[in-house]
Amino acid sequence: MNFEPVIGLEVHAQLLTDTKIFCGCSTKFGAEPNSHTCPVCLGMPGVLPVLNKKVVDFLLKMAMATNCQINRESSFARKNYFYPDLPKGYQISQYAEPPVEHGWIEIETEGGKKRIGITRIHMEEDAGKLIHDENSPVSYVDLNRTGVPLIEIVGDPDLRSAEEAAAYLRRIHEILVYLEICDGNMEEGSFRCDANISLRPVGQKEFGTRTELKNMNSFRNVQRALEYELKRQQYLLESGGVVVQETRLWDDAAGVTKAMRSKEEAHDYRYFPEPDLVPIVVDDEWQDEIRRALPELPLEKRERFSSEYQLSAYDAGVLTQSRALADYFEEVARLSGQPKAAANWVTGDILRFLNDEKKTVGECPVAPANLAAMISLIQAGTISGKMAKDISEAMYKTGGTPEEIIREKGLVQITDGDALTAALSEILAKNPDQVAQYQSGKEKLFGFFVGQAMKATGGKANPRMLNDLLQKMLAKH
Ligand SMILES: [Zn+2]
């Protein structure tokens, strides 16, 4: 029997606000344990939460970027469960009245573009962190993270393969980072993903029994975990077994998913309205304000780069990986007036240098103005493309301007016709046999003469000029 995967992802994104969602404590990562706490986020009795407006601003940005419907009014709810890193015994989240819902994003699949639905996005507070000491029977609680704002992006079960799921996750990640509302760091847990996954016979409408996958902390892990789980479920179904509804953890080292808890033990959260917080009302004015400040999104940027600069879809994709890289490219394109060449240099040498040193474009020693100046020098014929390779490398090492490097290395191209003619005459005189062979039809030898001339001039001959001259001289020789 042929099975079809049905996958839906839930993404938790930690928001880049300076302070927590319901108190004024700092959200900075890596501080001394329990130093960023106050009675509110410690869950002391009798304290009152106050909503941080920035959190709603960020939620609205994400809602607009994912084509969601924004509800004028929404409310908070208490999600009750007992956990050592949750001192209140409940988490403030949103449940019955989500602030935004029914959105979608587009992903690229083998079969072209595909729209993936977003069920809802809501706000909630994060819980603390338990630290287990391997050498002693003691666990520690760090409540610095308690009350750090999160948005949960619940996707529709529209994904039909592990690749599609990975593509969807990358798009969500890219949008969050572009909006500058989440740093997207998966290792530090500021971008987390759970997956619901099931199989059904092709053609069947109803979903099969699903499992929930947790603990996937990289894009690669997500894809591997889903691929493994699909195979596991398929094997079960084909051998006459049944899939049990349960939560499973991805074990990266073993490369398998493992049962964590079954449905019977699953929590009953007994949601009820949070009595200490008033409903959130998002009026048109607030929405307009956010919409006006919305940056150009990656997909729009990609399409604009393709049409405005005539770049290939691939180059446009590479250049819009991050806002900083896209800005860098546009600056080089603008200053040099040559977007194609700018794209080639940025996606080629510049990215290679940066990747080799694991640096971001923000740390790039080559200023856009310097790269643009170099591109203009190639266009003017002052330097050859081959020289430019050396110059770009030197610019990356020293941060210097191309003019400085050209001066230091004596790299200016020879465009003096007399000097080139003299060099060529000497080469032709030295190689009479090759000249005769060329003239009797062995045209491949042209490259030999070019090579000799380049050698004689230390690679500084202007190639176009050299070719012209050589052709003329060989013709009348
Ligand atoms: Zn606090």
Side-chain angles (χ1 to χ4, degrees), residues 51 56 71-75 278-284 286:
L51 177 61
V56 188
N71 297 330
R72 192 181 150 81
E73 206 173 308
S74 68
S75 59
V278 292
I280 308 145
V281 179
V282 180
D283 56 18
D284 293 346
W286 193 351

Side-chain angles (χ1 to χ4, degrees), residues 20-25 36-51 86-90 92 125-126 143 146-148 274 276-277:
K20 294 184 178 181
I21 183 168
F22 299 123
C23 64
C25 290
H36 292 171
T37 53
C38 72
V40 175
C41 55
L42 285 174
M44 298 294 181
V47 296
L48 284 175
V50 177
L51 177 61
L86 190 76
K88 291 195 294 257
Y90 62 85
I92 303 179
E125 56 179 346
D126 208 348
L143 297 175
T146 309
V148 163
E274 164 62 61
D276 292 339
L277 285 160

Side-chain angles (χ1 to χ4, degrees), residues 70-224:
I70 295 165
N71 297 330
R72 192 181 150 81
E73 206 173 308
S74 68
S75 59
F76 281 103
R78 289 187 179 181
K79 182 177 179 181
N80 296 278
Y81 61 99
F82 176 78
Y83 212 67
D85 61 5
L86 190 76
K88 291 195 294 257
Y90 62 85
Q91 177 188 24
I92 303 179
S93 181
Q94 298 191 284
Y95 186 61
E97 296 177 295
V100 307
E101 55 193 331
H102 310 309
W104 53 267
I105 61 166
E106 224 163 42
I107 61 165
E108 294 284 348
T109 70
E110 281 175 6
K113 282 182 180 166
K114 184 175 169 183
R115 205 175 259 207
I116 307 296
I118 304 232
T119 317
R120 57 187 274 155
I121 308 177
H122 65 255
M123 302 172 268
E124 61 186 30
E125 56 179 346
D126 208 348
K129 204 166 82 181
L130 289 176
I131 299 144
H132 306 288
D133 187 339
E134 276 176 30
N135 303 315
S136 74
V138 181
S139 286
Y140 302 92
V141 190
D142 178 5
L143 297 175
N144 280 350
R145 210 176 67 183
T146 309
V148 163
L150 303 176
I151 49 174
E152 182 173 350
I153 303 151
V154 182
D156 289 343
D158 291 343
L159 302 158
R160 293 291 170 267
S161 68
E163 295 81 52
E164 281 188 18
Y168 167 83
L169 201 61
R170 285 209 164 83
R171 290 279 299 126
I172 292 282
H173 185 267
E174 184 179 70
I175 295 170
L176 286 164
V177 174
Y178 252 75
L179 292 173
E180 292 173 342
I181 61 174
C182 171
D183 68 14
N185 190 325
M186 278 178 110
E187 284 80 34
E188 286 174 13
S190 40
F191 182 83
R192 299 170 239 162
C193 160
D194 300 336
N196 287 305
I197 172 167
S198 64
L199 285 177
R200 65 179 171 193
V202 171
Q204 180 182 303
K205 233 176 138 51
E206 297 79 35
F207 294 165
T209 308
R210 65 189 165 95
T211 56
E212 188 181 4
L213 292 188
K214 284 185 182 289
N215 201 33
M216 304 171 288
N217 59 5
S218 72
F219 291 111
R220 194 172 147 267
N221 269 346
V222 171
Q223 189 158 345
R224 282 177 72 208

Side-chain angles (χ1 to χ4, degrees), residues 344-404:
N344 288 341
W345 282 99
V346 175
T347 58
D349 285 33
I350 297 295
L351 275 186
R352 187 160 47 80
F353 297 150
L354 291 172
N355 288 343
D356 284 350
E357 294 187 2
K358 294 195 168 40
K359 278 187 176 162
T360 66
V361 69
E363 301 164 302
C364 183
V366 183
N370 289 346
L371 187 58
M374 191 189 81
I375 291 169
S376 301
L377 288 169
I378 304 170
Q379 174 74 9
T382 312
I383 54 170
S384 67
K386 194 174 163 297
M387 286 176 197
K389 284 259 167 208
D390 296 338
I391 294 168
S392 72
E393 204 172 325
M395 285 198 299
Y396 188 84
K397 276 189 189 133
T398 64
T401 68
E403 292 83 0
E404 280 165 3

Side-chain angles (χ1 to χ4, degrees), residues 217-395:
N217 59 5
S218 72
F219 291 111
R220 194 172 147 267
N221 269 346
V222 171
Q223 189 158 345
R224 282 177 72 208
L226 287 169
E227 275 163 4
Y228 176 88
E229 185 59 16
L230 287 173
K231 280 206 191 100
R232 190 189 70 88
Q233 291 190 10
Q234 180 160 8
Y235 175 78
L236 269 175
L237 295 171
E238 279 176 348
S239 58
V242 285
V243 174
V244 181
Q245 185 173 339
E246 62 188 355
T247 301
R248 299 179 68 86
L249 287 182
W250 169 246
D251 181 338
D252 189 32
V256 299
T257 63
K258 289 177 174 166
M260 184 171 97
R261 55 172 184 253
S262 68
K263 194 191 173 190
E264 287 75 37
E265 297 163 66
H267 299 286
D268 172 8
Y269 294 120
R270 293 186 303 110
Y271 282 97
F272 68 84
E274 164 62 61
D276 292 339
L277 285 160
V278 292
I280 308 145
V281 179
V282 180
D283 56 18
D284 293 346
E285 203 183 320
W286 193 351
Q287 287 192 41
D288 289 345
E289 189 189 312
I290 299 290
R291 206 177 296 277
R292 274 195 301 273
L294 214 59
E296 185 179 33
L297 293 166
L299 211 60
E300 297 165 16
K301 218 185 250 300
R302 221 156 278 164
E303 277 162 11
R304 181 171 64 80
F305 276 21
S306 291
S307 60
E308 192 175 330
Y309 302 123
Q310 268 93 52
L311 300 181
S312 69
Y314 178 80
D315 280 350
V318 172
L319 290 169
T320 52
Q321 274 169 2
S322 73
R323 260 168 87 175
L325 184 64
D327 290 348
Y328 182 92
F329 157 72
E330 285 212 278
E331 185 72 354
V332 178
R334 187 180 66 81
L335 292 171
S336 66
Q338 296 180 72
K340 271 254 167 64
N344 288 341
W345 282 99
V346 175
T347 58
D349 285 33
I350 297 295
L351 275 186
R352 187 160 47 80
F353 297 150
L354 291 172
N355 288 343
D356 284 350
E357 294 187 2
K358 294 195 168 40
K359 278 187 176 162
T360 66
V361 69
E363 301 164 302
C364 183
V366 183
N370 289 346
L371 187 58
M374 191 189 81
I375 291 169
S376 301
L377 288 169
I378 304 170
Q379 174 74 9
T382 312
I383 54 170
S384 67
K386 194 174 163 297
M387 286 176 197
K389 284 259 167 208
D390 296 338
I391 294 168
S392 72
E393 204 172 325
M395 285 198 299

